[in-house]
Amino acid sequence: MVLSARAELRVGTFLAPSLKTMYEAIAAVVGSELGLKAELFVETDYENCVNDINDICFVCSLAYLTFQRGGISPSVPVAAPVLTGPRYAGRPIYFSDVIVHRDSGIASFEQLRGRSWAYNEPLSHSGYGITRFHLVEMGETAGFFGKVVETGFHERSIRMVADGVVDGSAIDSQVLAIELRNHPELRQSLRVVGSLGPSTIQPVTVTKRFDPILRGKVQEVLLNLHRHSEMKQILADGLIDRFVAVDDSSYDDIRTMLDACGTAGFYELR
């Protein structure tokens, strides 16, 4: 597919709502650089991902790998963000920070045995997949939590812990940092008692309907966003230093975690 054959660029995000403004800005710059009108769509399920409706996706790595293993592979990773701060060591990684209520007395993940746990959704690596892998590593596949609740978004999980509705949750470290920055009152109710990871951070994927040259152009724009005068502050607000190139093999660490869960026959948090 060539540029002259297109009028619009459809960009979908499956990631945290708190980052929507940044995704909109990125979509607009990519579209402008390609000479296309870009529109961002906030996806509420994975049907459009499976059906290859979007040209570019901000998508969780677990969803990407799960669909790929099921024979559904309409897009390829081309770039991923490097988050700001020494914790990330200039690499495209992130963590899942385990949070509890500040007054709970819980001091570690292990002390969440028999307690209630919130996760955002089952195709989220940061909220679900890596928690499942951690339980496999602990040998806890027979039922560790007393109750498990799906919330839909990390932001909701954070507030359920802050309000004392559930005891703990694993939160994407980028999302948690932004929520604590934007809503500092949450610090009075939350504590981080551990971190899972690091894991390779979520990719930006481009449809295979685009020929390699066009995919390469999208990648080039993403890799140079931090040099774009209007994007520098927007990326900084999203705690992103820059985007770097990734490909399918970049997510082998998460494949290894999936394999471990498969070997243990542990497919559902409990």
Side-chain angles (χ1 to χ4, degrees):
M1 181 173 292
V2 296
L3 285 172
S4 60
R6 301 187 53 79
E8 295 185 353
L9 190 72
R10 181 182 172 109
V11 181
T13 176
F14 297 84
L15 303 182
S18 59
L19 294 167
K20 178 187 173 185
T21 299
M22 183 184 69
Y23 299 140
E24 285 178 330
I26 293 173
V29 171
V30 173
S32 176
E33 292 293 326
L34 298 181
L36 302 171
K37 178 183 178 182
E39 185 172 0
L40 180 77
F41 292 84
V42 177
E43 301 290 5
T44 56
D45 59 48
Y46 286 95
E47 184 177 354
N48 284 342
C49 184
V50 171
N51 293 328
D52 192 24
I53 301 300
N54 295 305
D55 302 315
I56 297 172
C57 284
F58 299 96
V59 65
C60 184
S61 53
L62 183 58
Y64 164 73
L65 293 174
T66 298
F67 293 138
Q68 184 187 64
R69 289 189 168 195
I72 303 167
S73 184
S75 62
V76 295
V78 298
V82 173
L83 301 181
T84 57
R87 184 183 194 187
Y88 303 104
R91 299 164 55 203
I93 59 172
Y94 71 137
F95 295 84
S96 294
D97 288 333
V98 179
I99 61 170
V100 299
H101 195 279
R102 181 167 292 278
D103 299 329
S104 69
I106 298 169
S108 67
F109 185 95
E110 288 74 16
Q111 291 180 10
L112 285 160
R113 182 191 303 277
R115 303 293 192 107
S116 55
W117 181 262
Y119 69 92
N120 52 339
E121 55 103 357
L123 284 176
S124 165
H125 176 69
S126 58
Y128 194 89
I130 198 167
T131 304
R132 190 177 56 181
F133 172 69
H134 187 61
L135 290 174
V136 168
E137 285 193 308
M138 293 172 61
E140 296 284 356
T141 60
F144 181 79
F145 299 115
K147 180 182 180 181
V148 178
V149 179
E150 181 177 353
T151 66
F153 300 104
H154 278 305
E155 292 88 340
R156 291 176 186 165
S157 298
I158 292 169
R159 280 156 181 79
M160 288 182 73
V161 175
D163 292 340
V165 178
V166 295
D167 293 307
S169 186
I171 307 296
D172 177 315
S173 58
Q174 179 188 17
V175 176
L176 180 61
I178 289 172
E179 285 296 294
L180 293 177
R181 180 196 66 195
N182 293 346
H183 306 280
E185 70 279 4
L186 288 170
R187 294 182 180 275
Q188 301 173 14
S189 302
L190 298 174
R191 278 187 295 115
V192 175
V193 296
S195 292
L196 309 180
S199 305
T200 306
I201 199 167
Q202 305 97 333
V204 184
T205 65
V206 179
T207 178
K208 291 178 180 177
R209 289 181 280 102
F210 283 14
D211 61 42
I213 293 175
L214 185 48
R215 286 201 302 272
K217 289 181 178 179
V218 173
Q219 183 185 57
E220 182 180 1
V221 175
L222 292 170
L223 300 190
N224 285 285
L225 281 173
H226 63 289
R227 298 185 176 94
H228 193 283
S229 58
E230 296 179 7
M231 283 301 304
K232 196 166 186 177
Q233 186 58 52
I234 292 173
L235 292 178
D237 289 344
L239 305 184
I240 291 175
D241 179 65
R242 66 190 186 281
F243 281 80
V244 295
V246 296
D247 58 24
D248 181 74
S249 67
S250 302
Y251 295 89
D252 285 346
D253 60 326
I254 299 174
R255 284 190 176 89
T256 298
M257 298 183 205
L258 275 172
D259 289 341
C261 293
T263 299
F266 189 52
Y267 299 103
E268 184 177 346
L269 277 183
R270 55 187 184 271

